């Protein structure tokens, strides 16, 4: 899937991925990749700033820990993040239904 | 890209991961602690990526190069990280201005009661009253309101309120520059009108008044220098964002 199509939806995708439980940045990216059968395949390095932005907005929170001698930053959803995700899902439902009404192919021989 | 304060580690090996991290962080002119945090987080992800590719049977070198490819070219990754660091910078400048205001103001207020303007027996504010003291006081209040508004803008565009207002890092940096510029102007006026006459004040011969003057004057000068540096760094960061097409 082309990156420009994800613009505006990346935040929702990240929040939805974190709904499954706390994860570090690379884990989130791999989960997103795997859950979409590879259709979402963004440069990994560009996703970290999006996570930081979500943290500044109070939608996720992060903690540092030690893992194999390295510092690891793990993200988790905040209550505000869960509410924002619920809101995103509602808006997506409306968006999808609206476009479906217009983009659904016409029946054979049918007219508008 | 502007010159970076984060040159590559001279001891870096031919490890593709270290090389990649060096190339990325060398182009990040943000606060050192923030750049270090980004480097550590990227390093963790790169190691995980390499381990995953090794587990799939790739040779060590191929796994490392695949991990680097997966993370994206520095030309793609750096602009995104620039915006991230710019937000951190704007917020730290806002904190500098807000935190220093009451401290510097309190030191000058502590100093004022003991000030006799150059042996004339007149308090500086009495002298100023004759040359538009109320106007100066009004301008000071306006400056405080302006700075507070700028800081609120910084927080709104980079913090929790950005959920509803949208993130606007360039706007936050411009507000930070404005806040530091106003603070610089205030400090210059205060130093010129209170510190210099106060230093010539015979009543300042005593230890108490002299200490008060030195503390207040030093606080203003230190903040002034800090704001000049912060203003320059914000300007540099804004240019970096403009060149990278982000913000």
């Amino acid at each position: 899937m082309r990156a420009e199509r994800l613009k505006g939806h990346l935040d929702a995708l990240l929040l939805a991925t974190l709904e499954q439980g706390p994860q570090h940045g690379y884990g989130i990216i791999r989960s997103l990749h795997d859950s979409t059968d590879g259709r979402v395949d963004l440069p990994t390095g560009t996703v970290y700033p999006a996570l930081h932005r979500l943290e500044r907005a109070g939608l996720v929170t992060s903690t540092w820990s030690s893992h194999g001698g390295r510092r690891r930053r793990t993200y988790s959803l905040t209550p505000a993040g869960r509410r924002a995700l619920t809101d995103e899902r509602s808006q997506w439902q409306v968006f999808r239904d609206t476009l479906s009404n217009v983009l659904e192919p016409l029946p054979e021989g049918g007219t508008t | 890209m502007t010159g970076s304060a984060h040159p590559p580690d001279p001891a870096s090996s031919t490890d593709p991961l270290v090389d990649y991290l060096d190339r990325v962080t060398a182009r990040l002119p943000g606060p050192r602690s923030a750049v270090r945090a980004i480097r550590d987080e990227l390093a963790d992800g790169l190691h995980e990526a390499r381990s995953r590719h090794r587990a799939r049977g790739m040779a060590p070198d191929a796994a490392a190069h695949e991990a680097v490819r997966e993370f994206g070219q520095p030309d793609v990754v750096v602009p995104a990280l620039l915006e991230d660091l710019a937000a951190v910078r704007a917020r730290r400048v806002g904190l500098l201005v807000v935190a220093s205001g009451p401290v510097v103001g309190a030191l000058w207020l502590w100093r004022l009661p003991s000030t006799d303007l150059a042996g004339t027996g007149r308090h500086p504010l009495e002298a100023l009253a004759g040359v538009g003291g109320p106007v100066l006081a009004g301008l000071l209040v306006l400056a405080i309101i302006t700075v507070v508004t700028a800081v609120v803008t910084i927080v709104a565009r980079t913090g929790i309120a950005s959920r509803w207002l949208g993130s606007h890092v360039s706007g936050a940096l411009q507000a930070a520059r404005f806040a530091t510029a106003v603070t610089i102007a205030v400090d210059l006026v205060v130093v010129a009108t209170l510190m210099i006459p106060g230093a010539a004040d015979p009543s300042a011969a005593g230890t108490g008044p002299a200490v008060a003057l030195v503390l207040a004057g030093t606080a203003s000068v230190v903040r002034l220098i800090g704001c000049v540096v912060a203003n320059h760094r914000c300007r540099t960061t804004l240019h970096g964002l403009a060149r990278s097409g982000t913000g």
Side-chain angles (χ1 to χ4, degrees):
Chain A
M1 182 179 293
R2 287 178 291 181
E4 60 266 23
R5 292 199 169 212
L6 289 174
K7 201 171 182 178
H9 302 296
L10 179 59
D11 287 0
L13 293 172
L14 294 175
L15 293 176
T17 304
L18 281 172
E19 192 182 33
Q20 301 160 27
Q23 291 193 70
H24 57 87
Y26 185 70
I28 294 169
I29 295 155
R30 292 311 310 171
S31 292
L32 197 52
H33 180 274
D34 296 342
S35 63
T36 59
D37 294 326
R39 293 192 194 95
V40 175
D41 191 18
L42 299 168
T44 304
T46 63
V47 179
Y48 291 97
L51 289 167
H52 300 163
R53 180 166 41 75
L54 289 174
E55 184 172 25
R56 287 196 301 273
L59 301 179
V60 305
T61 186
S62 70
T63 54
W64 287 94
S65 61
S66 182
H67 183 88
R70 301 187 304 272
R71 291 178 73 208
R72 168 161 293 182
R73 191 171 183 175
T74 303
Y75 298 87
S76 54
L77 270 188
T78 62
R82 292 184 190 279
R83 289 194 294 274
L85 180 57
T86 301
D87 190 45
E88 287 281 351
R89 284 188 168 124
S90 299
Q91 291 182 32
W92 173 252
Q93 188 72 37
V94 171
F95 177 77
R96 191 183 66 178
D97 292 345
T98 302
L99 257 62
S100 293
N101 290 339
V102 178
L103 295 178
E104 279 293 333
L106 295 171
E108 282 191 15
T111 58
T112 53
Chain B
M1 192 68 59
T2 58
S4 167
H6 309 286
D9 181 357
S12 65
S13 62
T14 54
D15 184 344
L17 302 192
V18 174
D19 177 65
Y20 178 81
L21 290 168
D22 287 344
R23 283 189 291 140
V24 169
T25 56
R27 295 167 60 178
L28 298 178
R32 281 184 188 276
S33 60
V35 174
R36 171 56 62 184
I38 286 174
R39 186 184 176 105
D40 288 347
E41 189 172 14
L42 290 179
D44 182 47
L46 280 164
H47 279 86
E48 284 294 309
R50 181 170 62 181
S51 297
R52 189 175 74 86
H53 296 307
R54 287 283 288 136
R56 288 166 54 201
M58 277 191 180
D61 208 44
H65 284 288
E66 179 59 22
V68 168
R69 188 205 64 76
E70 192 178 334
F71 266 61
Q73 289 297 317
D75 284 344
V76 174
V77 172
V78 165
L81 293 171
L82 269 181
E83 191 174 339
D84 191 15
L85 288 171
V88 172
R89 169 150 279 155
R91 292 171 70 82
R92 290 190 181 191
V93 170
L95 181 62
L96 160 72
V97 171
V98 164
S100 65
V103 173
V104 174
L107 285 171
W108 278 111
L109 287 175
W110 176 39
R111 162 64 188 157
L112 283 178
S114 62
T115 301
D116 169 20
L117 187 63
T120 63
R122 297 172 66 197
H123 193 280
L125 290 181
E126 281 185 63
L128 288 173
V131 292
V135 173
L136 286 175
L139 287 174
L140 180 61
V141 170
L142 183 62
I144 292 172
I145 292 172
T146 303
V147 167
V148 169
T149 302
V151 172
V152 168
T153 301
I154 293 168
V155 174
R157 287 304 199 172
T158 60
I160 291 175
S162 63
R163 283 184 230 170
W164 304 284
L165 300 176
S167 178
H168 196 301
V169 175
S170 290
L173 277 173
Q174 285 159 355
R177 285 199 70 200
F178 187 67
T180 52
V182 172
T183 305
I184 289 167
V186 168
D187 278 330
L188 284 173
V189 170
V190 167
V191 167
T193 58
L194 295 180
M195 182 174 178
I196 294 172
D201 175 7
S203 73
T207 304
V211 168
L213 177 65
V214 168
L215 281 176
T218 301
S220 274
V221 170
V222 168
R223 184 174 70 171
L224 193 154
I225 294 171
C227 282
V228 168
V229 171
N231 188 287
H232 173 71
R233 286 178 174 170
C234 286
R235 178 169 167 271
T236 303
T237 305
L238 272 167
H239 286 170
L241 287 176
R243 278 199 296 273
S244 67
T246 59

